């Protein structure tokens, strides 16, 4: 496709700013369109809203949305999984050096990285550290000053795990994978965010924004569009807390990657290996100060990755599908963004009702992963076809590497 050829559709009416959607050839549900139409009516949207090909209805705001604003931010447009994102690194291992059975590799990762959730997230939660490793405590010492500053003004945010979640995976669509690229090189890739502390930050400021809307008698088409104007009581606190949570999330991924590498080297399952490329570590739920179309603005990406010209990013498929290391093309119309994955095509409950264990086993054939009822909602058919998603954003990114997982660890 030509570099400057328009590859998006436009939803436009008199109600607000346009919506440019990179959804040619992929499903774009009416509920997601409704959420975006509600959002674009806000008076501080800059130019337009961009919808990525993985767009789908989300809690509070649309997943796969890029929302540029001037003078205000919408906490729900970031969501509660603040800083969620990806990290990936290529190793010197080759496919023919992997053992015939990868069960031991998967077990080594599962032992090394807390994952899942139990005890309702309480003291005996399998997804948290009882005693965090020294390396994690060192990173927490760096993060603690900012955390203490946040909690001093917003004590509710401090009521839950913090250090205990640093370097842990979580649940849902978070994962750790061993993958092969197009040349049979072995990669490590994982997906997670700011865990419980990010959730508390997001939830707290979403509620504060809603309280402000009620106090100021501002009526919105959806209460989740509550916003914090620049200069208002909670604006600076939120921007600081989001930035801190994004740092926590990136650190969380780095610690898990280190832990996984160490576990694999000590497992006895694999030959000695080194890392051959610097890790790509990118957020896809976050807000950043950027400059677009002559204005300094806040760009909120919920389920979208920054893709400036030359930026490396990661677009994962589902448990049985391909994933991609990509390089951004710097497309101005998308506010230098691309999708964060395949994107759900149905809800988790719908997937549990529609697919059987046999369906899931067939879809994940050749992947060493969980094949039980608890992960049916993550089965590949619950997501949009990743090849169609990539075709729809061919003017946003170039594919650098194509990865196919052979091991997948889920919470």
């Amino acid at each position: 496709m030509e570099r400057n050829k328009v590859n998006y559709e436009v939803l436009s009416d008199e109600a607000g700013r346009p919506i440019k959607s990179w959804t040619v050839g992929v499903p774009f549900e009416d509920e997601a369109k409704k959420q975006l139409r509600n959002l674009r009516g806000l008076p501080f949207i800059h130019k337009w809203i961009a919808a990525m090909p993985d767009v789908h209805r989300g809690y509070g705001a649309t997943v796969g949305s890029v929302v540029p604003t001037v003078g205000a931010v919408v906490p729900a447009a970031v969501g509660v999984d603040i800083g969620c994102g990806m990290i990936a690194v290529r190793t010197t291992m080759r496919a023919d050096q992997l053992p015939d059975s990868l069960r031991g590799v998967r077990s080594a990762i599962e032992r090394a990285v807390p994952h899942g959730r139990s005890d309702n997230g309480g003291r005996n939660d399998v997804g948290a550290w009882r005693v965090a490793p020294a390396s994690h405590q060192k990173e927490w010492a760096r993060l603690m000053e900012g955390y203490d500053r946040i909690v001093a003004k917003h004590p509710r945010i401090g009521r839950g795990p913090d250090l205990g979640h640093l370097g842990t995976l979580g649940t849902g669509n978070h994962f750790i994978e061993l993958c092969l690229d197009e040349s049979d090189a072995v990669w490590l890739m994982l997906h997670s965010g700011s865990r419980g502390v990010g959730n508390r930050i997001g939830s707290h400021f979403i509620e504060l924004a809603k309280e402000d809307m009620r106090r100021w008698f501002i009526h919105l088409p959806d209460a989740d569009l509550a916003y914090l104007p620049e200069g208002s009581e909670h604006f600076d606190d939120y921007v600081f807390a989001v930035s801190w949570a994004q740092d926590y999330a990136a650190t969380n991924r780095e610690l898990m990657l280190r832990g996984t590498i160490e576990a694999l080297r000590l497992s006895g399952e694999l030959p000695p290996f080194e890392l051959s490329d610097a890790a790509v570590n990118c957020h896809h739920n976050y807000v950043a100060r950027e400059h677009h179309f002559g204005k300094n603005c806040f760009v909120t990406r919920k389920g979208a990755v920054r893709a400036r010209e030359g930026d490396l990013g990661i677009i994962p498929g589902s448990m049985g599908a391909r994933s991609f290391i990509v390089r951004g093309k710097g497309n101005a119309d998308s506010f230098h963004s691309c999708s964060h994955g395949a994107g759900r095509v149905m809800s988790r409950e719908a997937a549990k009702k529609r697919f059987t264990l046999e369906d899931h086993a067939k879809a994940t054939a050749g992947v060493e992963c969980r094949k039980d009822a608890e992960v049916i909602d993550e089965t590949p058919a619950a997501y949009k076809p990743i090849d169609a998603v990539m075709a729809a954003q061919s003017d946003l990114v170039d594919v650098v590497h194509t990865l196919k997982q052979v091991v997948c660890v889920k919470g």
Side-chain angles (χ1 to χ4, degrees):
M1 176 168 290
E2 295 174 16
R3 191 175 184 82
N4 296 320
K5 185 177 179 180
V6 170
N7 201 34
Y8 55 80
E9 301 171 305
V10 180
L11 299 177
S12 183
D13 57 33
E14 296 178 0
R17 300 290 191 176
I19 300 163
K20 296 186 177 183
S21 65
W22 278 258
T23 50
V24 176
V26 294
F28 189 2
E29 62 188 320
D30 289 339
E31 283 299 309
K33 291 177 183 177
K34 181 180 178 181
Q35 280 190 322
L36 291 170
R37 285 187 171 112
N38 286 338
L39 185 58
R40 73 173 175 192
L42 296 174
F44 45 81
I45 301 296
H46 177 49
K47 290 294 184 180
W48 53 79
I49 291 171
M52 300 296 99
D54 55 345
V55 63
H56 59 279
R57 183 182 183 278
Y59 294 109
T62 322
V63 179
S65 60
V66 181
V67 184
T69 60
V70 176
V73 292
V74 181
V78 178
V80 298
D81 198 0
I82 299 170
C84 188
M86 302 286 304
I87 191 169
V89 63
R90 186 167 61 181
T91 77
T92 54
M93 281 187 291
R94 312 290 302 172
D96 59 9
Q97 294 177 292
L98 298 178
D100 292 337
S101 171
L102 291 166
R103 184 175 295 274
V105 172
R106 177 182 152 204
S107 296
I109 298 171
E110 289 175 338
R111 287 192 299 269
V113 180
H115 58 285
R117 189 173 188 266
S118 63
D119 192 29
N120 199 30
R123 175 175 291 182
N124 298 313
D125 181 14
V126 297
W129 297 106
R130 298 266 182 107
V131 179
S135 57
H136 296 48
Q137 294 183 38
K138 181 179 178 181
E139 290 293 346
W140 177 246
R142 176 183 64 82
L143 290 163
M144 201 162 68
E145 181 181 353
Y147 184 64
D148 288 346
R149 173 178 160 184
I150 295 165
V151 171
K153 293 188 71 173
H154 303 276
R156 282 195 312 181
I157 291 171
R159 297 170 191 165
D162 36 54
L163 168 59
H165 274 178
L166 190 60
T168 70
L169 186 62
T171 61
N173 60 1
H174 296 166
F175 62 78
I176 301 173
E177 290 183 344
L178 209 68
C179 306
L180 305 179
D181 71 9
E182 65 285 343
S183 66
D184 277 345
V186 176
W187 289 66
L188 290 171
M189 181 170 74
L190 65 86
H191 172 209
S192 192
S194 54
R195 304 286 281 112
V197 65
N199 187 296
R200 296 194 301 275
I201 288 171
S203 299
H204 177 69
F205 281 100
I206 288 170
E207 288 308 310
L208 288 181
K210 288 179 178 179
E211 289 174 11
D212 284 348
M213 297 297 99
R214 290 190 290 267
R215 185 155 51 94
W216 298 331
F217 301 102
I218 295 175
H219 302 288
L220 299 167
D222 182 344
D224 284 319
L225 299 182
Y227 55 88
L228 299 173
E230 199 162 3
S232 64
E233 180 183 1
H234 306 302
F235 178 88
D236 288 338
D237 289 354
Y238 176 68
V239 171
F240 179 84
V242 165
S243 177
W244 181 89
Q246 290 166 192
D247 188 6
Y248 181 107
T251 304
N252 183 42
R253 290 191 290 272
E254 290 166 359
L255 288 170
M256 278 191 285
L257 185 66
R258 286 185 224 162
T260 299
I261 291 166
E262 182 180 10
L264 294 180
R265 283 176 170 158
L266 296 174
S267 68
E269 298 284 334
L270 300 172
F273 66 90
E274 301 298 329
L275 307 182
S276 63
D277 276 280
V280 181
N281 192 352
C282 57
H283 299 311
H284 53 229
N285 287 353
Y286 72 111
V287 61
R289 297 177 189 266
E290 298 180 9
H291 187 86
H292 295 276
F293 298 102
K295 287 265 190 179
N296 292 324
C297 56
F298 290 93
V299 177
T300 298
R301 296 181 176 92
K302 184 173 185 179
V305 177
R306 188 171 66 187
R308 297 173 304 186
E309 186 167 7
D311 277 348
L312 289 176
I314 306 169
I315 302 177
S318 56
M319 288 176 74
R322 297 188 296 170
S323 298
F324 301 89
I325 307 296
V326 297
R327 182 176 288 111
K329 290 186 173 182
N331 188 306
D333 287 319
S334 72
F335 301 100
H336 301 165
S337 306
C338 67
S339 85
H340 84 309
R344 296 195 71 88
V345 76
M346 67 183 70
S347 70
R348 295 186 180 280
E349 286 306 311
K352 289 176 181 177
K353 292 175 182 176
R354 180 173 302 187
F355 301 113
T356 65
L357 287 177
E358 185 179 356
D359 294 331
H360 180 61
K362 185 176 179 181
T364 57
V367 182
E368 174 57 49
C369 65
R370 290 177 59 186
K371 301 182 192 283
D372 57 82
E374 295 301 312
V375 293
I376 287 291
D377 56 340
E378 283 294 301
T379 201
Y383 286 83
K384 299 179 187 183
I386 189 64
D387 289 341
V389 167
M390 296 304 296
Q393 59 186 329
S394 59
D395 61 338
L396 305 184
V397 293
D398 287 318
V399 174
V400 181
H401 294 291
T402 301
L403 309 182
K404 180 67 176 72
Q405 70 276 77
V406 291
V407 175
C408 178
V409 170
K410 284 272 188 184

